[in-house]
Structures are given as C-alpha cells and as structure tokens.
C-alpha cells in the first residue's frame, strides 16, 4: 500500500488522477538495472491487471462465483490494460515509456507488442466474459440493462479509456483517448443493448412498457 495517493480532493478521490506507484525510476536506470525497471512496470500491467482479469474469467466459470462484484472487478482489470495500451503507449513519460526504455525499444515498436494482448483481452471481455453473464446479472429489466450497458461502456472506454487526456501524456494519447470516448464508448453501449444475449428480451420489455 506504499503508494503516492495525491491530494485529498473530490476529483482525485473520484478519478484517482494523482495516484502513482511511487517508484523512482531514475536511480534504477542510473544503476543500469534496465530489465528490473521493465519488470516493475510489467508487475502492475501484467499481474495487477491482466492476471486479475484472467482470475475473474476463471472464477466466472464456476456458477456459484457469477456475481456482480466479480464482473466489475474483471472489467476493471481488463479496462486498466486498455488504459496502458494503446491509450498511453506513445508518450515520453509514464509507465509505458519506462517499459520501452527498460527493454531498449522505441515506443513505436512497443505499441503493437503491448496493444495486441490488450485487444485480445478486450475481445475476450466483450465476446467471452460478458455474454454469459449479461442476462443473469443485468438483463432482467430494461432500466437495469440500460444503466448497466452505460456503466460498462463508460468505465471501459470512458474512465479508463480517457487516461490519455490527463497527466500530460502528449497529443497522441489524447487523440487515442478521444477516439475511445467518441467511438468505442457509444459503440460498446449499443453492442451491450442490442447484440448480447438478453437484448431481444430487453427490446420486448421496452415495447411492452410503451
């Protein structure tokens, strides 16, 4: 829990915009421990997020563990990976810049290497993890389905996808975040409402209510 939490402000509490792992990479690189620096970055990205999502997927295979908590925790792990790659990869500072430096790679070379797993995790979430849980957890009522679809899209592609707009990561991460907000966020909401199991019953409920 030895993190840099930032100031006690409403914005920081809600959006965690100032939270940081509190690792000083300068002496690590100065001591020529580049591989160690890369491993520190990967610990958060891989263990803290990608593996967390994988654990949630594994537990979701057990019927008794299909809970809302497990679903939102899995979303957080998967979406956090998205916030790293591709959102904040093409930058001059931050975790992905340290990862590129530790691996002696350009961030442009690093981009496809880290983005491919992120895309696979996103595909797994929306087309593998979410569908069997949609009806049982969120699709019983129209209002519940609409709210849940909005929260899924907002958290994945809005909250985590908007990371490039904060922290002065540069124009490219800002543009990628803007695309995540303007394109992927609404598309994910529409996908949840119309394409997943339970969508037909949701539309029927709307018509019945009308």
């Amino acid at each position: 829990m030895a993190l840099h939490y930032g100031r006690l402000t409403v914005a920081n509490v809600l959006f965690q915009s100032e939270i940081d792992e509190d690792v000083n990479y300068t002496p690590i690189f100065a001591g020529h421990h580049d591989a160690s620096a890369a491993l520190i970055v990967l610990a958060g990205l891989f263990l803290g997020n990608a593996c967390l999502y994988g654990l949630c997927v594994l537990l979701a295979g057990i019927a008794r563990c299909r809970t809302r908590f497990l679903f939102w925790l899995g979303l957080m792990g998967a979406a956090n990976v998205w916030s790293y790659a591709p959102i904040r990869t093409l930058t001059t500072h931050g975790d992905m810049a340290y990862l590129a430096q530790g691996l002696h790679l350009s961030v442009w070379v690093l981009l496809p290497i880290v983005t491919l797993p992120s895309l696979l995790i996103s595909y797994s979430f929306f087309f593998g993890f979410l569908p069997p849980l949609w009806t049982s957890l969120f699709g019983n009522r129209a209002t519940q389905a609409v709210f849940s679809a909005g929260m899924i899209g907002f958290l994945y592609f809005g909250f985590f996808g908007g990371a490039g707009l904060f922290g002065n990561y540069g124009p490219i991460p800002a543009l990628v975040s803007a695309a995540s907000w303007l394109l992927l966020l609404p598309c994910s909401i529409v996908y949840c409402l119309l394409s997943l199991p339970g969508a037909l019953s949701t539309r029927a409920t709307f018509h019945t209510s009308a």
Side-chain angles (χ1 to χ4, degrees):
M1 304 301 292
L3 303 175
H4 175 263
Y5 293 96
R7 297 168 296 171
L8 186 60
T9 62
V10 174
N12 189 39
V13 170
L14 291 177
F15 300 106
Q16 304 174 17
S17 56
E18 297 179 9
I19 196 168
D20 185 82
E21 60 188 353
D22 199 21
V23 174
N24 186 359
Y25 286 94
T26 301
I28 300 175
F29 285 115
H32 305 289
H33 301 295
D34 296 4
S36 297
L39 285 175
I40 292 172
V41 175
L42 286 173
L45 176 62
F46 181 71
L47 292 177
N49 296 299
C51 287
L52 175 64
Y53 170 69
L55 178 62
C56 291
V57 171
L58 180 64
L59 292 177
I62 305 173
R64 289 172 296 179
C65 291
R66 292 187 175 184
T67 65
R68 286 181 173 84
F69 172 78
L70 184 65
F71 173 81
W72 295 116
L73 186 64
L75 183 149
M76 186 192 74
N80 234 324
V81 176
W82 181 258
S83 76
Y84 282 96
I87 300 295
R88 292 178 293 170
T89 303
L90 298 177
T91 185
T92 58
H93 73 281
D95 288 342
M96 303 310 288
Y98 290 133
L99 178 60
Q101 183 178 350
L103 296 177
H104 300 164
L105 297 173
S106 163
V107 290
W108 290 95
V109 175
L110 181 65
L111 178 65
I113 297 174
V114 293
T115 299
L116 179 59
S118 180
L119 291 174
L120 291 175
I121 289 175
S122 297
Y123 181 87
S124 169
F125 176 82
F126 284 100
F127 294 94
F129 185 56
L130 177 57
L133 301 176
W134 177 253
T135 302
S136 60
L137 295 182
F138 309 115
N140 294 327
R141 293 180 298 177
T143 53
Q144 183 176 353
V146 170
F147 175 79
S148 300
M151 287 302 298
I152 290 168
F154 167 74
L155 289 173
Y156 206 109
F157 295 114
F159 179 78
F160 288 102
L165 294 169
F166 310 98
N168 299 316
Y169 289 101
I172 297 179
L175 287 174
V176 179
S177 282
S180 182
W181 275 12
L182 298 176
L183 298 177
L184 297 178
L185 192 161
C187 287
S188 65
I189 295 175
V190 172
Y191 169 76
C192 288
L193 288 175
L194 302 180
S195 300
L196 296 181
L200 293 177
S201 62
T202 299
R203 288 198 295 268
T205 303
F206 276 122
H207 288 305
T208 301
S209 300

